[in-house]
Amino acid sequence: MENQITVDGLTFVPYITRDQIAEQVKRVADEIRNDLGDSSPIFICVLNGAFMFAADLYREIGINNSVITFVKYSSYEGTSTTGKVKEVIGLKEDIAGKDVVIIEDIVDTGLTAQKMIADLKTRNPRSVRFATLLHKPESSRTGYTPDYIAFSIPPKFIIGYGLDLDGKVRNLKDIYVIKEDYA
């Protein structure tokens, strides 16, 4: 794993390694595959942050008759949430009668997760499940807990493996935390 890095004046240190990520992706993929059985699910990747997790998870799940598509919601500016959720790119596929799995990078307040689920349920899917790379239960404003969680973490700002700081550092293979928050 790389040592500390500096981005926009903030110093970050390693927090979760690529090997730990791969191990949890495999575990979550096994859980999803076991739950979905022989269905033909639709996976919905939430851009931009979840794209790396979604790619790894989708390949690991390995359900050949599944479909993956993409949506974009936004509630962050810089290192903090705005508290307002807006849909930027919407779902085009018909999900009526289908098993749907939302793939997200992080569930912080729970507001985006609940909005997405409510939006999707108006389209009459058979089921809606939610998979997240990271869950911050202490930051929840809704009490929402995803169906599948790779890691539960404290309310720290993190980057890497798809997670960004103003669009930067998504390419890092490991997950980093602000040095002052590492304890």
Side-chain angles (χ1 to χ4, degrees):
M1 192 145 95
E2 302 164 12
N3 290 326
Q4 68 183 31
I5 60 171
T6 301
V7 183
D8 292 349
L10 297 171
T11 301
F12 292 85
V13 294
Y15 188 62
I16 302 173
T17 68
R18 65 195 80 182
D19 291 340
Q20 290 171 312
I21 294 167
E23 181 180 307
Q24 293 307 308
V25 166
K26 183 177 182 344
R27 178 187 57 79
V28 170
D30 289 346
E31 291 175 13
I32 292 170
R33 191 179 328 96
N34 290 337
D35 287 351
L36 294 177
D38 294 332
S39 74
S40 300
I42 295 178
F43 292 92
I44 301 174
C45 171
V46 182
L47 297 173
N48 289 339
F51 78 99
M52 284 192 186
F53 176 52
D56 289 347
L57 184 64
Y58 187 64
R59 283 190 301 255
E60 193 66 44
I61 291 168
I63 298 175
N64 292 333
N65 59 341
S66 65
V67 172
I68 189 165
T69 189
F70 304 87
V71 297
K72 186 170 184 177
Y73 284 75
S74 179
S75 67
Y76 264 79
E77 287 179 9
T79 60
S80 60
T81 182
T82 63
K84 297 176 185 168
V85 179
K86 61 182 179 183
E87 184 179 71
V88 182
I89 299 171
L91 182 67
K92 305 289 185 232
E93 288 76 11
D94 179 13
I95 62 169
K98 297 281 189 177
D99 291 311
V100 174
V101 180
I102 299 166
I103 303 173
E104 178 65 291
D105 58 350
I106 190 164
V107 174
D108 201 332
T109 65
L111 295 170
T112 304
Q114 285 194 324
K115 174 152 179 45
M116 285 190 294
I117 292 166
D119 289 353
L120 291 173
K121 284 187 174 180
T122 67
R123 297 170 172 229
N124 303 312
R126 183 164 119 190
S127 68
V128 177
R129 292 175 174 86
F130 201 103
T132 188
L133 174 64
L134 302 160
H135 180 226
K136 295 181 181 178
E138 293 171 48
S139 299
S140 180
R141 293 187 195 167
T142 63
Y144 176 72
T145 301
D147 301 288
Y148 310 102
I149 301 167
F151 298 93
S152 286
I153 63 170
K156 300 174 184 280
F157 184 77
I158 50 165
I159 58 169
Y161 192 67
L163 297 127
D164 71 311
L165 175 58
D166 291 330
K168 301 174 194 131
V169 297
R170 292 186 193 277
N171 61 309
L172 299 172
K173 294 178 183 175
D174 302 302
I175 294 175
Y176 290 74
V177 65
I178 295 175
K179 188 174 183 177
E180 295 77 32
D181 288 348
Y182 189 75

